[in-house]
Amino acid sequence: MVLSDPSPLISVSSPINNIALLHKDTASAGNAVVSTLSGQKSTTSSTPATGTAGTAGATALTETSRRGKTRVSSSSSTSSSSETATLSKSRSSVHSRAKRSQQRVVEGKSMLSFMYRHQLDVPAAIIAAVLISHFQLRIPLAETFLYLQNQDPLTGLYSKTWTDLNFIGFWIVVFTFLRAFVMTVILKPFAVWAGVNKEHQQNRFQEEGWVCIYYTISWNLGMYVLRTSPVWNNWTFWFKPEALFEGYPHTHLPHVMMWYYYVQLAFWLQQIFVLHIEAPRKDFWALLAHHTVTLLLISGSALSNFWRAGNVVFVVMDLADIILAFSKSMKYLGVSNRICDVFFGTFMVTWLYTRHYMYAYILHGFMFTAYEMIPFELDISQGKWYCRELAWLPTLGLALLQILMVYWFALILRILVKILKGHNAEDERSDDEAEPESVEFEETKKAVK
């Protein structure tokens, strides 16, 4: 321990003098006692000399004891004072760090608010510019941002072209605007009306509400695309695994399928941006890995013409997210814990059936069925990308995605154990529910202790 006072713990000049003084006092007291005892042996009557010697001995012992206690007390007092001063400095330093950390949190909130405001302004300006360029100025390039190109006039089907990148980029801007608009104009006023007073909970409700709305629309549209394709099976098991690879490569698609696919790609590209502006989450790196793998799978399947498989992965993944986002929205609105637990149970069963059982057939299809049904050939002009050098890439991406889902399902099982023990369902998969101020306060307490 570092002491704030560098002076000695006792009030004499050096440790050697302290020891000598203590030895001298003790020796004097000892001589006085010996003298007193000798006098008592020589005579039974009290004499002035004997009485004086006894008194001197007692006084010496008392003085020695007092000095010893004084020095010990002085040492303890100085040590205690030094420890108190050190602890005080430590607490002051911790509180100072906490204050600076809190300032960073406040600055982060200000920057977040700034970014949210411009999620409406800048995208709205870009969207307006594109619309004016197309409908008023009649600029040919503008229509590539609004419509799919490269339609076959004979079949009415669409194939890929470089201008599709303009379409995808425009929808990234649209999603940025729609998300901010729905959250600030619709969901936040609704949360206030419903009695959600804390800003943190309002923000979380807005985020989960937007996710619930988007996934509900995308899942229904994806199911429509799936039901109108040769891949559809029935409502118990949605797809035929072997139909994913029949007639490969699928280079010409109906308008609705290509439009749906590109809009999904734009949504997930925009999610990378969203992940960095939302309040921090516990599993940020797992989410970032998930988004990255998802983007690689979507873009890779579009490039290599595995559109059917991509459509099935979309609908298999989206359903559980609808239920999760809805149940968390209800939680932030203060709905009964029993109702939230019921939704959580539904979510868990759905997750297990779609993301592990159905998904396993997709992964199995790329691991084995594709090898049996698709000849190895690399001919980019014909849209054939399935060769020995590249065939393992879809399997790797799907396997990595499944590993992440197994990790999240382990967290889901932890929540189930808590429910069975009588606790409420609290999502440990992605949310960091603590208020920023509460986190700072707890860190400060731990540091002081």
Side-chain angles (χ1 to χ4, degrees), residues 346-416:
T346 306
F347 156 73
M348 183 176 178
V349 173
T350 304
W351 176 293
L352 185 62
Y353 184 73
T354 58
R355 294 197 171 196
H356 294 292
Y357 179 68
M358 284 188 176
Y359 189 92
Y361 279 86
I362 305 173
L363 182 58
H364 179 272
F366 274 95
M367 291 178 66
F368 302 104
T369 309
Y371 279 84
E372 299 170 359
M373 297 183 63
I374 304 176
F376 290 115
E377 183 179 0
L378 180 60
D379 188 350
I380 298 176
S381 63
Q382 298 295 320
K384 298 178 180 180
W385 291 78
Y386 198 75
C387 60
R388 292 186 183 276
E389 293 78 13
L390 301 177
W392 57 274
L393 288 175
T395 304
L396 175 63
L398 291 169
L400 289 175
L401 197 57
Q402 181 63 201
I403 290 172
L404 288 169
M405 289 189 289
V406 169
Y407 161 73
W408 276 315
F409 191 70
L411 299 182
I412 294 170
L413 290 177
R414 288 175 57 183
I415 302 173
L416 177 63

Side-chain angles (χ1 to χ4, degrees), residues 21 27 104 126 153 192 200 247 269 278 292 295 322-323 350 353 364 403 406 414 430 446:
L21 179 61
R104 288 195 296 270
I126 295 174
V192 174
H200 173 74
L269 286 169
E278 283 185 342
T292 303
L295 282 171
I322 297 172
I323 303 172
T350 304
Y353 184 73
H364 179 272
I403 290 172
V406 169
R414 288 175 57 183
S430 60
K446 290 178 182 177

Side-chain angles (χ1 to χ4, degrees), residues 118-175:
H118 285 272
Q119 284 182 77
L120 282 171
D121 300 341
V122 175
I126 295 174
I127 293 170
V130 171
L131 294 177
I132 292 172
S133 299
H134 175 64
F135 291 104
Q136 296 294 329
L137 304 179
R138 302 294 179 178
I139 299 176
L141 181 63
E143 71 174 10
T144 63
F145 293 90
L146 300 174
Y147 310 110
L148 294 175
Q149 310 297 309
N150 208 27
Q151 182 184 21
D152 188 331
L154 298 178
T155 63
L157 300 178
Y158 288 79
S159 58
K160 298 191 298 287
T161 181
W162 286 107
T163 57
D164 294 342
L165 296 176
N166 296 341
F167 181 83
I168 296 169
F170 179 74
W171 271 97
I172 294 174
V173 176
V174 170
F175 277 126

